Amino acid sequence: MDFSTWLLNSGGRVHPELDLFYTLPSGDRGVVARSDISEGQLLLLLPINCAIYIPTEEEFKRHPDAFPDAVQYLREAHPGLSPFLATTLVLMSEMTRGSASTWASYVAILPPSCPDCLINWSDEEKQELAGTSLEQFGPDPASDVYRRHVAPILAARKDLWPGLAAAEAAEAADRGVDPGLTAFLRAAGLLQSRAFHLEAENWVSGAKEISRLEDGGTQVFLLPGIDMINHSHNPARRNAHLERLNLAQAATAKLLDGAASAEAPSLPAGVEAVFVMRADKPIKAGEEVLHTYGNLSDAQLLQTYGFLDSEDDLWSETAAAGVSSVLSPSAKKRTKAGGGGDSSGGYRNPYNAALVPWITVEEVCMGLLSSMNQAPSSSTRRAKQEFLATAGVLQAAAPESTQFVLLAQEPLPDEFMTAVQVLLMTADEFQELQREFGDPSKLPAGSKRVGRGPEAGGTSCEAAAAAAAVAATAAEGASTAKLSLGTALLEEDQDFAEMVCIASLQILAACMERYPTNVKDDVRLLRSPDCTGRQRLAVRVRLGEKDVIQLAKKAVVELMSSLRRGWAGEGSRDEEEKESDDEAAAAEEEREENVGRRRASKRQRRGLGAPPSEEPDREEDDENGSSADGSDLEGSSDSDDQAADELLMGSDDSDKVGYGAEEYDDGIGEVHDRGKPHEAPTDD
């Protein structure tokens, strides 16, 4: 039985003008319209009984006999397996059952493997991903999972994977081949590249069942037919969307009306839900049907599905969104003219991300403080880490393994900036923050407690008293909140603001150094016609992450410039008010009292408080080939580099700036004699 016949006999629907097996110019397979299809039309309907997945506990109890033997065994004997691993084993079972499988027609059309899934990359090819979020440490994860979890399950119930026994006998002479591992790698690659990850749901009521699954509430579905439709990040090209509906919802949408016929039988008894793909807009004859797998970064796309978006799509998308991409000037002109791009430039995925390890943040901040002879004690360092975990800034379990996520659309997340500020606080300031965290009304103006964080854990030394207060508050029924300091402290203390910005730039520079190549190297590789296949995929992932780090660096410089403009303006306004309005002077005095202790302690011991530069801010010229992060194809622009250098250098008033020592290495490779110590400012 061919696939289309199987799908229709199972209660599925396929639009008669769809070609499910069209070969695209790239050589890949896609779904294409044979003739025009109007907006809103049903493209595909798949009853849930045609999907391969692990049911929720409630669903399994309602229909225990509706699922294959492998599902029943895994649900009962191995409920702790992740949905991905369990679903992989179910697919393996159906693949080894041959024509006896209910899904034999579907298995027959599956490709031999997913070539570019990371499972299939060699160790040498994986070296191209060094420094990225996909860098692999330790043993091969797929082989390790097979050895520790899969092989024992296969050995315990060989009857559920009958094809493997015959394969083992045939390969007995070749001890270097494990048929079970071979089958597992193929099934895992197929599932990784084709599966849909959805929230667990009660199909009768439509209610979410987040607590039903051990991995946090997601289910993994293989959806025959629907999984043939390709992905695009480009909203201009996407023309379809996926929904899952219970029967009442499908009936309301009139998706089942008059569907039953000799060619398309009605839904089988017991089916409670359907997956449907409908046209979002008119689809022209010859046009490919595309939808989105989610707002995923390049690393996520490669790791999860084994591909990246078309570079032409991304150029077109970033141009339409008004986002500058890492393109050569000529490529930018072609993009603006609507001509797309070519292989000589780069790209920006608007959903790209980069990771900043907590250990890097801590090391840089401690190094900066040490250079100023202000290194905190080891007990204070531990207390700060424990407090940040308690406050929801670091993960509760293994906080030292926390990685902050920088997004192209949010390059300086609150968690990252809050962590840097806390690490650079003096012991007295830190104790004050701990006390205030137990009473949100006392937090600095502009800071906030948001969301729900992990419950308080034990602390030591300076943190003990404040941690007890936080724990007591939580015990009274108020959940521990997530701390977000924002920019309130930076706005009130110039010295502290410059210290935080310098540390942030050094942290980002350290993150750049973990990659084996620089931006120039990667761009040259993309320009080269020899950079193809998996190497090109890896280079694009590297460049995408570096692009986000560059955006973060630019955001730090812009933050500092904004703060300096604010200080200059506030100083002028304050002077005018003092001269003309006694009430304003009284209000200023009251405000100073509220922040007096913190400001005094900061000003007495910070050595980075240089007056803001009087030079006008430089404006980047995107028309001259610079990227949104201030870099062109050859790296960062001169203006942004100079702005960052000026920030690291402080100001030219070296006789007024002290770093706690006569010589200070400011992180840019030069040692500067700062001479006189910093003079504490007066309040008049």
Side-chain angles (χ1 to χ4, degrees):
M1 183 186 306
D2 64 27
F3 173 75
S4 298
T5 302
W6 169 80
L7 184 60
L8 293 175
N9 289 345
S10 301
R13 312 283 186 270
V14 180
H15 194 287
E17 296 305 320
L18 283 186
D19 184 346
L20 298 178
F21 305 99
Y22 186 84
T23 300
L24 301 170
S26 63
D28 296 329
R29 206 164 60 183
V31 177
V32 172
R34 296 190 185 95
S35 62
D36 293 352
I37 297 175
S38 59
E39 179 180 352
Q41 286 198 18
L42 177 67
L43 302 175
L44 278 160
L45 181 147
L46 184 76
I48 192 172
N49 64 295
C50 293
I52 296 177
Y53 71 108
I54 301 295
T56 64
E57 181 180 356
E58 182 176 340
E59 186 177 8
F60 183 69
K61 287 180 178 178
R62 288 201 307 269
H63 305 287
D65 298 330
F67 299 96
D69 292 343
V71 170
Q72 297 181 42
Y73 170 69
L74 295 172
R75 199 69 184 82
E76 295 173 349
H78 300 280
L81 282 181
S82 71
F84 179 86
L85 186 54
T87 308
T88 299
L89 286 168
V90 174
L91 176 59
M92 281 181 65
S93 177
E94 300 306 321
M95 291 168 62
T96 64
R97 289 168 58 84
S99 59
S101 169
T102 302
W103 285 271
S105 298
Y106 172 61
V107 170
I109 66 169
L110 292 175
S113 66
C114 177
D116 290 325
C117 274
L118 294 183
I119 290 176
N120 297 319
W121 286 40
S122 67
D123 291 340
E124 182 179 358
E125 290 169 334
K126 289 178 182 177
Q127 287 301 312
E128 295 282 355
L129 296 168
T132 72
S133 57
L134 299 180
E135 184 175 8
Q136 181 179 305
F137 300 96
D140 178 66
S143 299
D144 185 58
V145 167
Y146 175 80
R147 178 182 57 81
R148 292 188 297 111
H149 299 292
V150 176
I153 293 175
L154 299 180
R157 286 293 304 271
K158 292 185 177 181
D159 59 305
L160 296 178
W161 292 271
L164 292 181
E168 288 172 357
E171 300 291 348
D174 187 353
R175 296 186 179 182
V177 176
D178 184 340
L181 176 59
T182 301
F184 172 70
L185 293 178
R186 183 193 176 206
L190 290 170
L191 189 69
Q192 183 171 302
S193 62
R194 306 176 75 86
F196 293 82
H197 301 253
L198 305 171
E199 283 184 305
E201 182 175 308
N202 184 311
W203 293 103
V204 177
S205 66
K208 305 299 181 186
E209 297 184 341
I210 299 302
S211 63
R212 295 293 185 180
L213 293 175
E214 291 76 13
D215 74 331
T218 60
Q219 285 179 290
V220 179
F221 291 85
L222 272 177
L223 305 179
I226 290 177
D227 62 3
M228 298 177 186
I229 298 177
N230 290 326
H231 158 89
S232 176
H233 267 144
N234 189 344
R237 292 195 63 203
R238 294 199 299 260
N239 48 28
H241 70 280
L242 175 66
E243 297 175 286
R244 56 178 187 180
L245 308 172
N246 60 33
L247 294 190
Q249 293 168 327
T252 300
K254 299 182 179 180
L255 298 176
L256 305 177
D257 292 354
S261 66
E263 293 78 18
S266 59
L267 295 178
V271 172
E272 298 177 337
V274 294
F275 291 91
V276 296
M277 186 72 72
R278 286 189 275 189
D280 277 340
K281 59 184 70 170
I283 303 174
K284 297 180 180 179
E287 186 178 350
E288 183 180 4
V289 179
L290 296 168
H291 72 126
T292 177
Y293 295 175
N295 297 336
L296 305 175
S297 69
D298 287 341
Q300 289 173 310
L301 279 174
L302 184 58
Q303 181 181 45
T304 307
Y305 297 106
F307 70 87
L308 296 182
D309 255 343
S310 162
E311 293 176 46
D312 286 344
D313 281 353
L314 287 163
W315 281 324
S316 175
E317 179 182 2
T318 52
V323 180
S324 215
S325 48
V326 186
L327 295 172
S328 64
S330 59
K332 282 189 174 185
K333 291 177 181 177
R334 286 194 301 274
T335 300
K336 291 178 180 179
D342 60 23
S343 61
S344 64
Y347 70 101
R348 170 175 289 137
N349 178 339
Y351 306 108
N352 270 340
L355 301 179
V356 178
W358 157 256
I359 188 172
T360 300
V361 176
E362 186 180 39
E363 286 178 353
V364 169
C365 290
M366 294 306 102
L368 181 59
L369 292 174
S370 295
S371 70
M372 300 165 59
N373 292 335
Q374 296 177 14
S377 65
S378 57
S379 60
T380 298
R381 290 180 61 175
R382 289 194 303 270
K384 287 183 176 182
Q385 177 177 293
E386 292 167 356
F387 171 74
L388 288 170
T390 297
V393 178
L394 303 181
Q395 61 191 32
E400 68 280 359
S401 300
T402 298
Q403 298 199 81
F404 299 102
V405 181
L406 312 182
L407 302 174
Q409 299 173 345
E410 187 187 0
L412 286 181
D414 286 341
E415 295 86 354
F416 171 75
M417 295 302 293
T418 295
V420 173
Q421 292 181 65
V422 171
L423 286 174
L424 294 178
M425 288 179 176
T426 65
D428 290 342
E429 292 165 349
F430 175 54
Q431 288 184 354
E432 182 181 354
L433 176 66
Q434 288 179 298
R435 289 190 293 271
E436 292 175 344
F437 185 68
D439 184 354
S441 65
K442 295 182 180 180
L443 283 172
S447 61
K448 56 186 176 180
R449 298 172 66 179
V450 297
R452 293 178 177 268
E455 293 187 0
T459 56
S460 58
C461 302
E462 294 98 330
V470 173
T473 302
E476 293 174 359
S479 62
T480 305
K482 180 177 178 180
L483 176 67
S484 174
L485 291 179
T487 61
L489 302 180
L490 308 182
E491 292 166 359
E492 73 178 36
D493 189 334
Q494 299 180 29
D495 297 4
F496 188 49
E498 292 205 11
M499 182 187 291
V500 168
C501 290
I502 287 172
S504 299
L505 287 174
Q506 291 180 350
I507 291 165
L508 296 170
C511 290
M512 277 292 200
E513 291 173 359
R514 71 188 179 212
Y515 299 99
T517 57
N518 58 36
V519 173
K520 295 179 182 179
D521 295 332
D522 288 339
V523 173
R524 290 191 186 103
L525 280 170
L526 285 183
R527 285 172 165 174
S528 170
D530 297 328
C531 182
T532 59
R534 293 173 183 173
Q535 183 190 29
R536 191 172 188 85
L537 295 176
V539 172
R540 289 180 59 184
V541 169
R542 288 202 306 259
L543 190 56
E545 292 188 1
K546 293 173 188 177
D547 189 35
V548 175
I549 296 174
Q550 292 280 39
L551 286 172
K553 289 170 64 178
K554 182 182 180 183
V556 173
V557 175
E558 290 177 340
L559 171 63
M560 197 67 227
S561 297
S562 174
L563 290 171
R564 285 175 170 173
R565 289 193 297 270
W567 296 326
E570 182 179 350
S572 299
R573 289 193 301 272
D574 288 348
E575 187 65 28
E576 293 174 359
E577 290 173 356
K578 286 180 180 179
E579 293 177 354
S580 62
D581 193 342
D582 291 340
E583 292 183 2
E588 175 67 16
E589 182 178 352
E590 181 179 355
R591 188 181 72 84
E592 288 293 338
E593 285 182 1
N594 292 335
V595 300
R597 180 155 59 107
R598 180 187 298 105
R599 176 175 290 177
S601 64
K602 288 174 183 173
R603 286 181 171 174
Q604 287 169 4
R605 66 93 175 99
R606 301 214 197 280
L608 299 178
S613 172
E614 296 181 359
E615 294 183 10
D617 293 323
R618 296 177 173 86
E619 298 294 337
E620 285 73 27
D621 184 5
D622 284 340
E623 297 300 323
N624 291 328
S626 62
S627 72
D629 54 75
S631 64
D632 57 21
L633 283 171
E634 301 304 323
S636 299
S637 69
D638 292 339
S639 60
D640 271 355
D641 283 347
Q642 185 172 351
D645 288 350
E646 287 175 353
L647 179 55
L648 286 172
M649 292 281 291
S651 78
D652 292 334
D653 298 335
S654 58
D655 61 331
K656 297 180 181 178
V657 182
Y659 289 82
E662 289 187 359
E663 291 187 337
Y664 170 71
D665 184 349
D666 63 12
I668 59 173
E670 298 182 22
V671 176
H672 305 275
D673 182 3
R674 293 301 185 185
K676 300 178 183 178
H678 176 61
E679 299 175 1
T682 61
D683 289 331
D684 46 39

